[in-house]
Short mmCIF file of all heavy atoms in Angstrom, two decimals:
data_model
loop_
_atom_site.label_atom_id
_atom_site.label_comp_id
_atom_site.label_asym_id
_atom_site.label_seq_id
_atom_site.Cartn_x
_atom_site.Cartn_y
_atom_site.Cartn_z
N MET A 1 105.57 79.69 149.88
CA MET A 1 105.80 81.12 149.90
C MET A 1 104.49 81.87 149.70
O MET A 1 103.65 81.46 148.91
CB MET A 1 106.77 81.51 148.80
CG MET A 1 108.18 81.12 149.07
SD MET A 1 109.27 81.85 147.84
CE MET A 1 110.52 80.62 147.86
N SER A 2 104.38 82.97 150.36
CA SER A 2 103.19 83.79 150.24
C SER A 2 103.26 84.63 148.98
O SER A 2 104.32 85.06 148.56
CB SER A 2 103.07 84.70 151.46
OG SER A 2 102.03 85.61 151.27
N SER A 3 102.11 84.87 148.37
CA SER A 3 102.06 85.75 147.21
C SER A 3 101.50 87.12 147.58
O SER A 3 101.15 87.90 146.72
CB SER A 3 101.22 85.13 146.10
OG SER A 3 99.91 84.93 146.56
N ASP A 4 101.40 87.39 148.87
CA ASP A 4 100.89 88.68 149.32
C ASP A 4 101.98 89.73 149.24
O ASP A 4 103.04 89.59 149.85
CB ASP A 4 100.39 88.60 150.76
CG ASP A 4 99.22 87.66 150.92
OD1 ASP A 4 98.48 87.49 149.92
OD2 ASP A 4 99.06 87.10 152.00
N PRO A 5 101.77 90.79 148.47
CA PRO A 5 102.80 91.82 148.35
C PRO A 5 102.91 92.69 149.59
O PRO A 5 101.96 92.83 150.35
CB PRO A 5 102.32 92.67 147.16
CG PRO A 5 100.85 92.47 147.14
CD PRO A 5 100.60 91.09 147.66
N VAL A 6 104.09 93.22 149.79
CA VAL A 6 104.29 94.23 150.83
C VAL A 6 104.14 95.57 150.10
O VAL A 6 104.96 95.93 149.28
CB VAL A 6 105.71 94.10 151.45
CG1 VAL A 6 105.93 95.20 152.45
CG2 VAL A 6 105.89 92.73 152.06
N TRP A 7 103.05 96.28 150.38
CA TRP A 7 102.74 97.50 149.63
C TRP A 7 103.46 98.70 150.20
O TRP A 7 103.57 98.87 151.39
CB TRP A 7 101.23 97.75 149.63
CG TRP A 7 100.49 96.72 148.85
CD1 TRP A 7 99.85 95.64 149.36
CD2 TRP A 7 100.36 96.65 147.45
NE1 TRP A 7 99.33 94.90 148.33
CE2 TRP A 7 99.61 95.49 147.16
CE3 TRP A 7 100.80 97.43 146.39
CZ2 TRP A 7 99.29 95.12 145.86
CZ3 TRP A 7 100.48 97.07 145.10
CH2 TRP A 7 99.74 95.92 144.85
N PHE A 8 103.93 99.54 149.31
CA PHE A 8 104.56 100.81 149.66
C PHE A 8 103.76 101.91 148.97
O PHE A 8 103.50 101.83 147.78
CB PHE A 8 106.00 100.86 149.15
CG PHE A 8 106.87 99.83 149.78
CD1 PHE A 8 107.03 98.58 149.21
CD2 PHE A 8 107.55 100.09 150.96
CE1 PHE A 8 107.83 97.62 149.78
CE2 PHE A 8 108.36 99.14 151.54
CZ PHE A 8 108.50 97.90 150.96
N LYS A 9 103.36 102.92 149.72
CA LYS A 9 102.59 104.00 149.13
C LYS A 9 103.53 104.95 148.40
O LYS A 9 104.56 105.34 148.92
CB LYS A 9 101.81 104.75 150.21
CG LYS A 9 100.88 105.79 149.64
CD LYS A 9 100.00 106.38 150.70
CE LYS A 9 99.07 107.39 150.09
NZ LYS A 9 98.18 107.98 151.05
N SER A 10 103.14 105.31 147.21
CA SER A 10 103.92 106.25 146.41
C SER A 10 103.93 107.62 147.08
O SER A 10 102.93 108.07 147.64
CB SER A 10 103.30 106.38 145.01
OG SER A 10 103.86 107.48 144.32
N SER A 11 105.06 108.30 146.98
CA SER A 11 105.14 109.67 147.52
C SER A 11 104.29 110.63 146.70
O SER A 11 104.03 111.74 147.12
CB SER A 11 106.60 110.14 147.54
OG SER A 11 107.12 110.14 146.23
N HIS A 12 103.82 110.18 145.53
CA HIS A 12 102.97 111.01 144.67
C HIS A 12 101.48 110.74 144.91
O HIS A 12 100.64 111.32 144.25
CB HIS A 12 103.32 110.79 143.20
CG HIS A 12 104.71 111.19 142.87
ND1 HIS A 12 105.10 112.50 142.71
CD2 HIS A 12 105.83 110.45 142.71
CE1 HIS A 12 106.39 112.55 142.45
NE2 HIS A 12 106.85 111.32 142.44
N SER A 13 101.16 109.81 145.81
CA SER A 13 99.76 109.46 146.09
C SER A 13 99.14 110.50 147.01
O SER A 13 99.80 111.08 147.85
CB SER A 13 99.68 108.09 146.76
OG SER A 13 100.13 107.10 145.89
N GLY A 14 97.85 110.67 146.85
CA GLY A 14 97.12 111.59 147.72
C GLY A 14 96.81 110.94 149.06
O GLY A 14 97.06 109.76 149.28
N ASN A 15 96.27 111.70 149.99
CA ASN A 15 95.93 111.19 151.31
C ASN A 15 94.55 110.55 151.36
O ASN A 15 94.13 110.05 152.39
CB ASN A 15 95.99 112.33 152.34
CG ASN A 15 97.40 112.80 152.57
OD1 ASN A 15 98.33 112.01 152.49
ND2 ASN A 15 97.56 114.08 152.84
N GLU A 16 93.81 110.57 150.25
CA GLU A 16 92.47 110.03 150.22
C GLU A 16 92.44 108.54 149.91
O GLU A 16 91.39 107.94 149.75
CB GLU A 16 91.62 110.75 149.15
CG GLU A 16 91.51 112.24 149.34
CD GLU A 16 92.74 112.98 148.82
OE1 GLU A 16 93.34 112.56 147.82
OE2 GLU A 16 93.10 113.99 149.43
N GLY A 17 93.60 107.91 149.78
CA GLY A 17 93.65 106.51 149.35
C GLY A 17 93.67 106.45 147.84
O GLY A 17 93.48 107.44 147.16
N GLY A 18 93.91 105.29 147.32
CA GLY A 18 93.97 105.16 145.86
C GLY A 18 95.22 105.79 145.29
O GLY A 18 96.08 106.30 146.01
N ASP A 19 95.34 105.78 143.98
CA ASP A 19 96.47 106.36 143.26
C ASP A 19 97.82 105.85 143.75
O ASP A 19 98.80 106.57 143.69
CB ASP A 19 96.46 107.90 143.33
CG ASP A 19 95.23 108.50 142.70
OD1 ASP A 19 94.75 107.95 141.70
OD2 ASP A 19 94.76 109.50 143.23
N CYS A 20 97.87 104.62 144.25
CA CYS A 20 99.13 104.07 144.72
C CYS A 20 99.73 103.17 143.64
O CYS A 20 99.05 102.77 142.71
CB CYS A 20 98.93 103.27 146.01
SG CYS A 20 98.43 104.31 147.38
N VAL A 21 100.98 102.86 143.77
CA VAL A 21 101.69 102.08 142.76
C VAL A 21 102.00 100.69 143.27
O VAL A 21 101.92 100.41 144.46
CB VAL A 21 103.00 102.79 142.33
CG1 VAL A 21 102.71 104.12 141.70
CG2 VAL A 21 103.93 102.95 143.52
N GLU A 22 102.38 99.80 142.35
CA GLU A 22 102.76 98.45 142.71
C GLU A 22 104.10 98.45 143.44
O GLU A 22 104.79 99.46 143.51
CB GLU A 22 102.87 97.59 141.46
CG GLU A 22 101.56 97.36 140.76
CD GLU A 22 101.71 96.46 139.57
OE1 GLU A 22 102.79 96.45 138.94
OE2 GLU A 22 100.75 95.75 139.26
N VAL A 23 104.48 97.29 143.91
CA VAL A 23 105.69 97.13 144.70
C VAL A 23 106.94 96.88 143.85
O VAL A 23 108.01 96.70 144.38
CB VAL A 23 105.55 95.99 145.73
CG1 VAL A 23 104.46 96.31 146.72
CG2 VAL A 23 105.29 94.67 145.04
N TRP A 24 106.81 96.85 142.55
CA TRP A 24 107.94 96.55 141.68
C TRP A 24 108.87 97.75 141.57
O TRP A 24 108.43 98.88 141.37
CB TRP A 24 107.44 96.15 140.30
CG TRP A 24 106.73 94.85 140.31
CD1 TRP A 24 105.38 94.66 140.40
CD2 TRP A 24 107.31 93.55 140.28
NE1 TRP A 24 105.10 93.33 140.42
CE2 TRP A 24 106.26 92.61 140.34
CE3 TRP A 24 108.63 93.08 140.20
CZ2 TRP A 24 106.49 91.25 140.31
CZ3 TRP A 24 108.84 91.71 140.17
CH2 TRP A 24 107.78 90.81 140.23
N PHE A 25 110.17 97.49 141.69
CA PHE A 25 111.18 98.52 141.57
C PHE A 25 112.12 98.16 140.44
O PHE A 25 112.59 97.03 140.37
CB PHE A 25 112.00 98.66 142.87
CG PHE A 25 111.17 99.12 144.03
CD1 PHE A 25 110.61 98.20 144.90
CD2 PHE A 25 110.95 100.46 144.25
CE1 PHE A 25 109.86 98.61 145.97
CE2 PHE A 25 110.18 100.88 145.31
CZ PHE A 25 109.63 99.96 146.17
N LYS A 26 112.41 99.10 139.57
CA LYS A 26 113.33 98.88 138.46
C LYS A 26 114.76 98.98 138.96
O LYS A 26 115.07 99.82 139.80
CB LYS A 26 113.08 99.93 137.37
CG LYS A 26 113.82 99.67 136.09
CD LYS A 26 113.37 100.68 135.04
CE LYS A 26 114.04 100.44 133.72
NZ LYS A 26 113.63 101.41 132.72
N SER A 27 115.61 98.12 138.44
CA SER A 27 117.02 98.13 138.84
C SER A 27 117.63 99.50 138.58
O SER A 27 117.40 100.12 137.55
CB SER A 27 117.79 97.08 138.03
OG SER A 27 119.18 97.26 138.19
N SER A 28 118.44 99.97 139.51
CA SER A 28 119.12 101.26 139.34
C SER A 28 120.18 101.17 138.24
O SER A 28 120.66 102.18 137.77
CB SER A 28 119.75 101.71 140.65
OG SER A 28 120.71 100.76 141.08
N HIS A 29 120.55 99.96 137.82
CA HIS A 29 121.54 99.78 136.76
C HIS A 29 120.88 99.60 135.40
O HIS A 29 121.57 99.41 134.41
CB HIS A 29 122.42 98.56 137.07
CG HIS A 29 123.28 98.78 138.28
ND1 HIS A 29 124.40 99.57 138.27
CD2 HIS A 29 123.15 98.34 139.54
CE1 HIS A 29 124.93 99.60 139.48
NE2 HIS A 29 124.18 98.85 140.26
N SER A 30 119.54 99.67 135.32
CA SER A 30 118.84 99.54 134.05
C SER A 30 118.94 100.84 133.28
O SER A 30 118.89 101.92 133.86
CB SER A 30 117.37 99.19 134.28
OG SER A 30 117.25 97.94 134.89
N SER A 31 119.06 100.71 131.98
CA SER A 31 119.14 101.91 131.15
C SER A 31 117.74 102.46 130.92
O SER A 31 116.75 101.75 131.05
CB SER A 31 119.80 101.59 129.81
OG SER A 31 118.94 100.77 129.05
N ASN A 32 117.65 103.70 130.54
CA ASN A 32 116.37 104.32 130.22
C ASN A 32 116.03 104.19 128.75
O ASN A 32 115.02 104.68 128.29
CB ASN A 32 116.37 105.81 130.61
CG ASN A 32 116.38 105.98 132.11
OD1 ASN A 32 115.80 105.19 132.83
ND2 ASN A 32 117.05 107.01 132.57
N GLU A 33 116.89 103.53 127.97
CA GLU A 33 116.67 103.38 126.54
C GLU A 33 115.88 102.13 126.21
O GLU A 33 115.82 101.71 125.07
CB GLU A 33 118.00 103.35 125.78
CG GLU A 33 118.71 104.68 125.74
CD GLU A 33 119.63 104.88 126.93
OE1 GLU A 33 120.30 103.92 127.33
OE2 GLU A 33 119.67 106.00 127.46
N GLY A 34 115.30 101.44 127.20
CA GLY A 34 114.50 100.26 126.93
C GLY A 34 115.33 99.00 126.78
O GLY A 34 114.89 98.02 126.20
N GLY A 35 116.54 99.00 127.28
CA GLY A 35 117.41 97.83 127.19
C GLY A 35 117.03 96.76 128.18
O GLY A 35 115.90 96.70 128.66
N ALA A 36 117.98 95.89 128.47
CA ALA A 36 117.74 94.77 129.39
C ALA A 36 117.50 95.31 130.79
O ALA A 36 118.40 95.87 131.41
CB ALA A 36 118.93 93.82 129.36
N CYS A 37 116.29 95.14 131.30
CA CYS A 37 115.93 95.67 132.60
C CYS A 37 115.26 94.59 133.44
O CYS A 37 114.57 93.74 132.92
CB CYS A 37 114.95 96.84 132.47
SG CYS A 37 115.56 98.19 131.46
N VAL A 38 115.47 94.68 134.74
CA VAL A 38 114.76 93.81 135.66
C VAL A 38 114.06 94.67 136.70
O VAL A 38 114.45 95.79 136.96
CB VAL A 38 115.70 92.80 136.37
CG1 VAL A 38 116.32 91.86 135.36
CG2 VAL A 38 116.77 93.50 137.18
N GLU A 39 112.99 94.10 137.24
CA GLU A 39 112.27 94.74 138.34
C GLU A 39 112.20 93.74 139.47
O GLU A 39 112.14 92.53 139.25
CB GLU A 39 110.86 95.14 137.90
CG GLU A 39 110.86 96.23 136.85
CD GLU A 39 109.46 96.59 136.39
OE1 GLU A 39 108.58 95.70 136.33
OE2 GLU A 39 109.25 97.77 136.07
N VAL A 40 112.21 94.25 140.69
CA VAL A 40 112.21 93.42 141.89
C VAL A 40 111.05 93.84 142.77
O VAL A 40 110.74 95.03 142.90
CB VAL A 40 113.55 93.59 142.65
CG1 VAL A 40 113.54 92.83 143.95
CG2 VAL A 40 114.71 93.17 141.77
N ALA A 41 110.40 92.85 143.40
CA ALA A 41 109.32 93.11 144.36
C ALA A 41 109.59 92.31 145.62
O ALA A 41 109.87 91.12 145.55
CB ALA A 41 107.96 92.72 143.78
N GLU A 42 109.54 92.98 146.76
CA GLU A 42 109.72 92.30 148.04
C GLU A 42 108.36 91.84 148.53
O GLU A 42 107.46 92.65 148.75
CB GLU A 42 110.36 93.24 149.05
CG GLU A 42 111.78 93.61 148.69
CD GLU A 42 112.41 94.50 149.73
OE1 GLU A 42 112.28 94.19 150.93
OE2 GLU A 42 113.02 95.50 149.34
N MET A 43 108.21 90.53 148.69
CA MET A 43 106.97 89.94 149.19
C MET A 43 107.18 89.57 150.65
O MET A 43 108.27 89.73 151.19
CB MET A 43 106.61 88.70 148.37
CG MET A 43 106.61 88.95 146.86
SD MET A 43 105.46 90.23 146.36
CE MET A 43 104.01 89.26 146.15
N VAL A 44 106.14 89.06 151.28
CA VAL A 44 106.23 88.68 152.69
C VAL A 44 107.29 87.60 152.88
O VAL A 44 108.15 87.70 153.75
CB VAL A 44 104.86 88.22 153.21
CG1 VAL A 44 104.97 87.68 154.61
CG2 VAL A 44 103.86 89.36 153.15
N ASP A 45 107.26 86.55 152.05
CA ASP A 45 108.17 85.41 152.21
C ASP A 45 109.09 85.21 151.02
O ASP A 45 109.73 84.16 150.92
CB ASP A 45 107.38 84.12 152.43
CG ASP A 45 106.58 84.15 153.71
OD1 ASP A 45 107.02 84.81 154.66
OD2 ASP A 45 105.52 83.52 153.76
N ALA A 46 109.15 86.14 150.10
CA ALA A 46 109.95 85.95 148.89
C ALA A 46 110.34 87.29 148.28
O ALA A 46 109.75 88.32 148.58
CB ALA A 46 109.18 85.13 147.87
N VAL A 47 111.33 87.23 147.41
CA VAL A 47 111.70 88.36 146.58
C VAL A 47 111.46 87.90 145.15
O VAL A 47 111.96 86.85 144.73
CB VAL A 47 113.17 88.77 146.79
CG1 VAL A 47 113.55 89.89 145.83
CG2 VAL A 47 113.40 89.20 148.23
N LEU A 48 110.65 88.66 144.39
CA LEU A 48 110.33 88.30 143.02
C LEU A 48 111.13 89.15 142.06
O LEU A 48 111.39 90.33 142.32
CB LEU A 48 108.84 88.50 142.75
CG LEU A 48 107.87 87.75 143.65
CD1 LEU A 48 106.43 88.09 143.27
CD2 LEU A 48 108.11 86.26 143.58
N VAL A 49 111.51 88.55 140.92
CA VAL A 49 112.26 89.26 139.88
C VAL A 49 111.55 88.99 138.56
O VAL A 49 111.15 87.86 138.27
CB VAL A 49 113.72 88.75 139.81
CG1 VAL A 49 114.49 89.49 138.72
CG2 VAL A 49 114.41 88.91 141.16
N ARG A 50 111.37 90.05 137.75
CA ARG A 50 110.74 89.89 136.43
C ARG A 50 111.42 90.79 135.42
O ARG A 50 112.14 91.73 135.76
CB ARG A 50 109.25 90.21 136.50
CG ARG A 50 108.95 91.69 136.69
CD ARG A 50 107.47 91.96 136.73
NE ARG A 50 107.21 93.40 136.93
CZ ARG A 50 106.02 93.90 137.15
NH1 ARG A 50 104.97 93.11 137.22
NH2 ARG A 50 105.86 95.20 137.31
N ASP A 51 111.16 90.51 134.16
CA ASP A 51 111.63 91.33 133.04
C ASP A 51 110.71 92.55 132.94
O ASP A 51 109.49 92.40 132.82
CB ASP A 51 111.58 90.51 131.76
CG ASP A 51 112.07 91.25 130.53
OD1 ASP A 51 112.20 92.49 130.56
OD2 ASP A 51 112.31 90.57 129.51
N SER A 52 111.27 93.74 132.99
CA SER A 52 110.43 94.94 132.98
C SER A 52 109.70 95.13 131.66
O SER A 52 108.71 95.85 131.60
CB SER A 52 111.27 96.18 133.30
OG SER A 52 112.22 96.40 132.28
N LYS A 53 110.17 94.49 130.60
CA LYS A 53 109.51 94.62 129.30
C LYS A 53 108.39 93.60 129.13
O LYS A 53 107.63 93.67 128.18
CB LYS A 53 110.54 94.46 128.18
CG LYS A 53 111.62 95.55 128.18
CD LYS A 53 112.66 95.35 127.11
CE LYS A 53 113.43 94.07 127.17
NZ LYS A 53 114.09 93.71 128.42
N ASP A 54 108.28 92.62 130.04
CA ASP A 54 107.26 91.58 129.97
C ASP A 54 106.63 91.42 131.35
O ASP A 54 106.80 90.41 132.02
CB ASP A 54 107.90 90.27 129.51
CG ASP A 54 106.89 89.17 129.25
OD1 ASP A 54 105.67 89.45 129.25
OD2 ASP A 54 107.32 88.02 129.05
N LYS A 55 105.89 92.42 131.78
CA LYS A 55 105.37 92.48 133.15
C LYS A 55 104.42 91.33 133.48
O LYS A 55 104.30 90.96 134.64
CB LYS A 55 104.68 93.82 133.38
CG LYS A 55 105.66 94.98 133.32
CD LYS A 55 104.98 96.29 133.60
CE LYS A 55 105.88 97.48 133.41
NZ LYS A 55 107.10 97.51 134.14
N SER A 56 103.76 90.74 132.52
CA SER A 56 102.88 89.61 132.80
C SER A 56 103.58 88.27 132.55
O SER A 56 102.96 87.22 132.68
CB SER A 56 101.60 89.71 131.97
OG SER A 56 101.92 89.64 130.58
N GLY A 57 104.84 88.31 132.21
CA GLY A 57 105.60 87.10 131.93
C GLY A 57 106.04 86.39 133.19
O GLY A 57 105.59 86.69 134.30
N PRO A 58 106.95 85.43 133.04
CA PRO A 58 107.39 84.63 134.19
C PRO A 58 108.14 85.47 135.22
O PRO A 58 108.72 86.51 134.89
CB PRO A 58 108.32 83.58 133.56
CG PRO A 58 108.71 84.14 132.25
CD PRO A 58 107.62 85.05 131.81
N ARG A 59 108.09 84.99 136.44
CA ARG A 59 108.77 85.65 137.55
C ARG A 59 109.62 84.61 138.27
O ARG A 59 109.22 83.47 138.42
CB ARG A 59 107.76 86.22 138.54
CG ARG A 59 106.88 87.26 137.92
CD ARG A 59 105.75 87.65 138.83
NE ARG A 59 104.90 88.62 138.15
CZ ARG A 59 103.80 89.09 138.66
NH1 ARG A 59 103.40 88.71 139.85
NH2 ARG A 59 103.09 89.97 137.99
N LEU A 60 110.78 85.03 138.71
CA LEU A 60 111.62 84.18 139.55
C LEU A 60 111.33 84.53 141.00
O LEU A 60 111.15 85.70 141.33
CB LEU A 60 113.09 84.42 139.24
CG LEU A 60 113.55 84.14 137.81
CD1 LEU A 60 115.00 84.57 137.64
CD2 LEU A 60 113.38 82.67 137.49
N ALA A 61 111.30 83.54 141.87
CA ALA A 61 111.07 83.76 143.29
C ALA A 61 112.26 83.25 144.08
O ALA A 61 112.74 82.14 143.85
CB ALA A 61 109.80 83.05 143.74
N PHE A 62 112.77 84.08 144.97
CA PHE A 62 113.91 83.74 145.82
C PHE A 62 113.52 83.93 147.28
O PHE A 62 112.75 84.84 147.60
CB PHE A 62 115.10 84.67 145.52
CG PHE A 62 115.59 84.58 144.11
CD1 PHE A 62 115.11 85.44 143.14
CD2 PHE A 62 116.53 83.63 143.76
CE1 PHE A 62 115.55 85.35 141.83
CE2 PHE A 62 116.99 83.55 142.46
CZ PHE A 62 116.50 84.41 141.49
N SER A 63 114.09 83.12 148.14
CA SER A 63 113.90 83.37 149.57
C SER A 63 114.65 84.66 149.90
O SER A 63 115.62 85.01 149.22
CB SER A 63 114.45 82.22 150.41
OG SER A 63 115.87 82.21 150.37
N PRO A 64 114.24 85.38 150.93
CA PRO A 64 114.96 86.60 151.31
C PRO A 64 116.45 86.33 151.58
O PRO A 64 117.31 87.13 151.21
CB PRO A 64 114.24 87.08 152.56
CG PRO A 64 112.85 86.58 152.38
CD PRO A 64 113.01 85.22 151.73
N THR A 65 116.77 85.18 152.17
CA THR A 65 118.17 84.84 152.45
C THR A 65 118.94 84.63 151.16
O THR A 65 120.06 85.14 151.01
CB THR A 65 118.24 83.57 153.33
OG1 THR A 65 117.51 83.80 154.53
CG2 THR A 65 119.67 83.20 153.65
N ALA A 66 118.37 83.90 150.21
CA ALA A 66 119.04 83.67 148.92
C ALA A 66 119.22 84.99 148.17
O ALA A 66 120.27 85.23 147.56
CB ALA A 66 118.24 82.68 148.08
N TRP A 67 118.23 85.87 148.21
CA TRP A 67 118.33 87.16 147.52
C TRP A 67 119.44 88.01 148.13
O TRP A 67 120.22 88.61 147.42
CB TRP A 67 117.00 87.89 147.55
CG TRP A 67 117.05 89.20 146.82
CD1 TRP A 67 117.05 90.44 147.37
CD2 TRP A 67 117.16 89.38 145.41
NE1 TRP A 67 117.14 91.39 146.39
CE2 TRP A 67 117.21 90.77 145.17
CE3 TRP A 67 117.22 88.51 144.33
CZ2 TRP A 67 117.32 91.29 143.89
CZ3 TRP A 67 117.33 89.04 143.05
CH2 TRP A 67 117.37 90.41 142.83
N ARG A 68 119.50 88.06 149.46
CA ARG A 68 120.56 88.81 150.13
C ARG A 68 121.93 88.30 149.73
O ARG A 68 122.84 89.08 149.45
CB ARG A 68 120.39 88.71 151.65
CG ARG A 68 120.01 90.01 152.32
CD ARG A 68 120.00 89.95 153.84
NE ARG A 68 119.56 88.70 154.44
CZ ARG A 68 118.28 88.37 154.66
NH1 ARG A 68 117.32 89.20 154.33
NH2 ARG A 68 117.97 87.23 155.25
N SER A 69 122.07 86.97 149.67
CA SER A 69 123.36 86.37 149.25
C SER A 69 123.70 86.77 147.84
O SER A 69 124.85 87.10 147.53
CB SER A 69 123.29 84.85 149.36
OG SER A 69 123.16 84.45 150.70
N PHE A 70 122.71 86.75 146.93
CA PHE A 70 122.95 87.15 145.54
C PHE A 70 123.40 88.62 145.47
O PHE A 70 124.36 88.95 144.79
CB PHE A 70 121.70 86.94 144.70
CG PHE A 70 121.78 87.62 143.36
CD1 PHE A 70 122.59 87.10 142.37
CD2 PHE A 70 121.09 88.79 143.12
CE1 PHE A 70 122.70 87.74 141.13
CE2 PHE A 70 121.20 89.43 141.90
CZ PHE A 70 122.00 88.89 140.90
N VAL A 71 122.69 89.49 146.15
CA VAL A 71 123.02 90.92 146.11
C VAL A 71 124.41 91.16 146.69
O VAL A 71 125.20 91.91 146.10
CB VAL A 71 121.95 91.76 146.86
CG1 VAL A 71 122.40 93.20 147.03
CG2 VAL A 71 120.63 91.69 146.12
N GLU A 72 124.75 90.51 147.78
CA GLU A 72 126.08 90.67 148.36
C GLU A 72 127.15 90.21 147.38
O GLU A 72 128.19 90.85 147.22
CB GLU A 72 126.18 89.91 149.68
CG GLU A 72 125.40 90.58 150.80
CD GLU A 72 125.31 89.72 152.05
OE1 GLU A 72 125.92 88.62 152.09
OE2 GLU A 72 124.62 90.15 152.99
N PHE A 73 126.90 89.07 146.71
CA PHE A 73 127.87 88.58 145.73
C PHE A 73 128.00 89.55 144.56
O PHE A 73 129.09 89.90 144.14
CB PHE A 73 127.45 87.20 145.20
CG PHE A 73 128.28 86.76 144.03
CD1 PHE A 73 129.55 86.25 144.23
CD2 PHE A 73 127.78 86.87 142.74
CE1 PHE A 73 130.33 85.87 143.14
CE2 PHE A 73 128.55 86.48 141.66
CZ PHE A 73 129.83 85.98 141.87
N ALA A 74 126.85 90.03 144.03
CA ALA A 74 126.87 90.93 142.89
C ALA A 74 127.60 92.23 143.22
O ALA A 74 128.29 92.80 142.37
CB ALA A 74 125.44 91.22 142.42
N GLN A 75 127.47 92.71 144.44
CA GLN A 75 128.14 93.95 144.83
C GLN A 75 129.65 93.75 144.99
O GLN A 75 130.40 94.71 144.92
CB GLN A 75 127.56 94.48 146.14
CG GLN A 75 126.15 95.02 145.99
CD GLN A 75 125.51 95.41 147.30
OE1 GLN A 75 125.88 94.93 148.36
NE2 GLN A 75 124.53 96.29 147.23
N SER A 76 130.07 92.51 145.17
CA SER A 76 131.49 92.26 145.41
C SER A 76 132.29 92.09 144.11
O SER A 76 133.51 92.07 144.15
CB SER A 76 131.68 91.02 146.30
OG SER A 76 131.35 89.84 145.56
N VAL A 77 131.61 91.90 142.98
CA VAL A 77 132.33 91.69 141.72
C VAL A 77 132.43 92.94 140.91
O VAL A 77 131.80 93.89 141.07
CB VAL A 77 131.70 90.58 140.86
CG1 VAL A 77 131.92 89.25 141.52
CG2 VAL A 77 130.24 90.82 140.58
#
């Protein structure tokens, strides 16, 4: 699997380059009180998942197909 991120430019970034953000997205089901949160990053060949409170900690890597299957299952329960 590739570790090259798919970068998305922040809507708050200027047109001069720079001031852009990482590709990690916080779960829409995460609370704002600092509770159990996950962040997801879409890579070229993988989807990464990490604990938002431990950004340098371990990451899980899923194939795009496996991630889609997980999301479809989670939405059905």
Side-chain angles (χ1 to χ4, degrees):
M1 287 189 209
S2 172
S3 61
D4 297 333
V6 177
W7 292 99
F8 297 91
K9 186 172 181 179
S10 168
S11 60
H12 297 283
S13 296
N15 291 327
E16 302 80 34
D19 299 324
C20 294
V21 297
E22 294 182 330
V23 296
W24 292 96
F25 296 94
K26 189 173 182 181
S27 168
S28 60
H29 294 284
S30 296
S31 69
N32 290 326
E33 289 89 40
C37 303
V38 296
E39 293 178 327
V40 175
E42 293 182 46
M43 308 301 272
V44 174
D45 296 330
V47 176
L48 303 179
V49 180
R50 71 180 179 188
D51 181 345
S52 65
K53 297 177 300 307
D54 187 10
K55 295 182 186 305
S56 62
R59 299 171 182 176
L60 300 174
F62 300 93
S63 71
T65 302
W67 182 252
R68 248 186 325 276
S69 294
F70 167 73
V71 171
E72 288 171 4
F73 170 78
Q75 290 174 336
S76 71
V77 291

